[in-house]
Amino acid sequence: MCAWLATPAVVAHHPVHHPFRARHGIRHGHGPHGPGPTPRVIPSAPSGGEPVIHIAFVIDTIESATAGTERQLLHLLERLDRTRFAPVLCVLRPSDWIEQSVLPCPVYNVSIRGFKHPASIAGIGKFSGFLRGRRTDVVQTHFRDSTIASVCASRLAGKVPVIATRRNQGYWQTGLDKRLQPILNRLTTAFIANSRSTMDKMVRDEGIAPERIRIIPNGLDLSKFPWPMNGDRESTRQALGMSRDEISVGIVANLRPIKRHDLLIEAAAIVRGRHPNARFHLFGDGDEREKLEALVRERALDGVIRFHGRCENVPAMLPGLDIGVLCSDSESMSNAVIEYMAAGLPVVATNVGGVGETIVDGVTGSLVPAGDYSGLANAIARFAADASLRNTTGQSGRRKAEGYSLDQCVAAHESLYAAIAGSAQ
């Protein structure tokens, strides 16, 4: 039944379509302030070719292009081969970012803000009509609410195949979520996991058959990480307010509890005692900022740790750093880690989820146990003390990052869509 999952991915090379960017121009499709009219239909392949596969990509919303799942989705929408696939982005609710962005495909507002209100039933009904009217071949979901809406609407639309994307390991799940998940799993055709660790957890904890899961690692646009990057170093450090002789340690992550920035702050207090020229730079924003700033003051680290806020252009910032850090309690596959490696930085990270699949301990970086700020400090200090070690480790990381090309990622998705759509006919 699931033989399509064994289909090997072939790297496809095709032009980029309508690059997305924030706050410029007019979006394709209709605005997301209500279901409204159906977005424009992307034409099918020329006569005599294979029929175009219509795919609905469903996500709760997109607040910015910097978050990991959202960024991977936008890259995929941007690069899908339009001679074979016709994508539409379906959001449960609108956002300012969507309104102000040029997006690479039509946008449809599902108009579901939650499932406690009776209006959500009508929203699912309208969504099923949209899927049916567009002759949707495949639905791909991201996050819990979009999966709920999609499996219900897909059933009503005639059992359209649903692919559920797993880019985290369910750290957020409540008791209700865990009771609901088996129902959603039974109504889902296939799953995409971005790491072996996440797949193994799905099989072990949820009883999902391995043949229903395709592992597709995150993709990286290497063109944004020219190598070597040393030419941008001094200008980048100057723009970021870094001194010439400081050892710059950076973390790119939203300020959320799961990312454990508090561990980096505690580690910074230790590293500072050994390397007075070490400085720590936090790129990202979130609800934890006030709490973390208080911890910085409590540890007397003002001037040692800087909060830069949200970073819209990570590749342009990374050349200014010497060491990249990830200290999360849970990850599936970290975009930040492969971006650090692409920039030639040694990486210090907690060994959680699929992080150990990306980082080769002692070769492309150092892995430390989750929650261990002392181990984090020791690994950072080891790199801070040895420029040669930073250089050789960074070069090894760059070579490893080149194995996560965006073309390979997109081709693997295209192969899965073609197989799923073909088996549904």
Side-chain angles (χ1 to χ4, degrees):
M1 181 177 71
C2 298
W4 39 265
L5 280 170
T7 305
V10 179
V11 176
H13 297 279
H14 43 72
V16 174
H17 297 268
H18 308 299
F20 60 87
R21 59 189 186 276
R23 296 178 296 279
H24 288 281
I26 301 172
R27 291 190 352 272
H28 290 292
H30 295 268
H33 286 303
T38 300
R40 69 179 178 87
V41 176
I42 299 177
S44 299
S47 178
E50 291 294 322
V52 165
I53 296 172
H54 290 80
I55 308 173
F57 293 88
V58 192
I59 192 167
D60 297 10
T61 193
I62 299 178
E63 301 287 354
S64 91
T66 60
T69 295
E70 291 84 343
R71 185 156 25 122
Q72 289 292 314
L73 171 58
L74 290 168
H75 281 313
L76 180 59
L77 291 174
E78 181 184 29
R79 291 184 175 234
L80 280 175
D81 185 349
R82 293 308 198 270
T83 67
R84 300 172 60 205
F85 304 96
V88 60
L89 175 63
C90 302
V91 295
L92 299 195
R93 58 186 182 275
S95 72
D96 290 341
W97 187 88
I98 293 172
E99 282 296 315
Q100 297 166 8
S101 300
V102 175
L103 295 173
C105 70
V107 178
Y108 175 79
N109 179 23
V110 180
S111 291
I112 294 177
R113 293 185 175 274
F115 297 100
K116 294 181 180 179
H117 196 281
S120 63
I121 298 175
I124 289 173
K126 291 179 180 178
F127 186 30
S128 70
F130 170 78
L131 296 177
R132 190 166 49 247
R134 192 173 178 271
R135 301 188 305 280
T136 303
D137 298 297
V138 178
V139 174
Q140 181 171 335
T141 73
H142 306 76
F143 305 138
R144 185 201 65 176
D145 285 358
S146 68
T147 300
I148 295 172
S150 296
V151 296
C152 294
S154 297
R155 285 274 155 168
L156 292 173
K159 296 185 179 180
V160 179
V162 175
I163 302 172
T165 309
R166 298 286 188 90
R167 296 188 184 278
N168 63 63
Q169 298 200 347
Y171 65 88
W172 48 269
Q173 287 188 322
T174 65
L176 176 60
D177 292 319
K178 292 177 181 178
R179 291 192 296 272
L180 177 63
Q181 195 63 60
I183 300 172
L184 297 176
N185 291 347
R186 285 196 296 272
L187 298 175
T188 299
T189 309
F191 301 84
I192 294 173
N194 63 353
S195 70
R196 170 69 60 177
S197 171
T198 295
M199 174 181 170
D200 290 344
K201 188 174 189 302
M202 293 164 65
V203 173
R204 181 181 65 250
D205 296 352
E206 301 176 48
I208 300 173
E211 60 268 21
R212 296 178 64 200
I213 306 169
R214 176 79 66 91
I215 299 174
I216 304 179
N218 294 352
L220 183 68
D221 185 355
L222 287 165
S223 69
K224 298 184 183 301
F225 297 86
W227 185 255
M229 300 186 77
N230 292 337
D232 298 326
R233 179 175 172 80
E234 293 307 318
S235 60
T236 301
R237 288 172 75 90
Q238 185 176 7
L240 293 171
M242 300 172 177
S243 65
R244 293 178 63 89
D245 64 343
E246 75 171 63
I247 299 296
S248 300
V249 183
I251 180 170
V252 181
N254 291 326
L255 306 184
R256 296 187 286 124
I258 195 67
K259 298 299 183 180
R260 295 302 304 273
H261 290 79
D262 60 303
L263 293 177
L264 182 58
I265 294 171
E266 299 291 1
I270 298 173
V271 175
R272 173 69 166 162
R274 305 179 195 173
H275 300 279
N277 63 333
R279 297 293 183 272
F280 295 78
H281 301 268
L282 279 59
F283 297 90
D285 218 337
D287 295 339
E288 288 279 287
R289 179 160 182 162
E290 186 175 333
K291 177 181 175 182
L292 294 170
E293 288 176 334
L295 182 58
V296 168
R297 292 191 295 270
E298 184 180 326
R299 297 292 182 266
L301 293 172
D302 295 283
V304 176
I305 295 177
R306 288 185 56 193
F307 292 82
H308 291 266
R310 179 178 291 170
C311 182
E312 299 290 347
N313 191 346
V314 172
M317 172 275 296
L318 289 178
L321 300 180
D322 296 295
I323 303 165
V325 175
L326 178 85
C327 39
S328 303
D329 277 344
S330 179
E331 292 282 348
S332 179
M333 179 182 180
S334 168
N335 286 306
V337 165
I338 58 175
E339 288 173 339
Y340 296 153
M341 294 194 303
L345 300 179
V347 185
V348 177
T350 45
N351 190 9
V352 295
V355 173
E357 299 169 37
T358 309
I359 296 174
V360 181
D361 192 27
V363 178
T364 66
S366 292
L367 295 171
V368 302
D372 183 4
Y373 68 82
S374 178
L376 197 69
N378 290 336
I380 293 170
R382 187 162 55 250
F383 284 122
D386 192 336
S388 177
L389 179 63
R390 294 198 299 273
N391 183 52
T392 55
T393 305
Q395 289 183 6
S396 295
R398 170 66 189 202
R399 289 192 291 271
K400 181 75 186 294
E402 289 172 353
Y404 296 106
S405 81
L406 198 53
D407 281 338
Q408 287 177 312
C409 179
V410 172
H413 281 85
E414 291 178 339
S415 173
L416 179 59
Y417 301 148
I420 292 270
S423 67
Q425 292 176 356

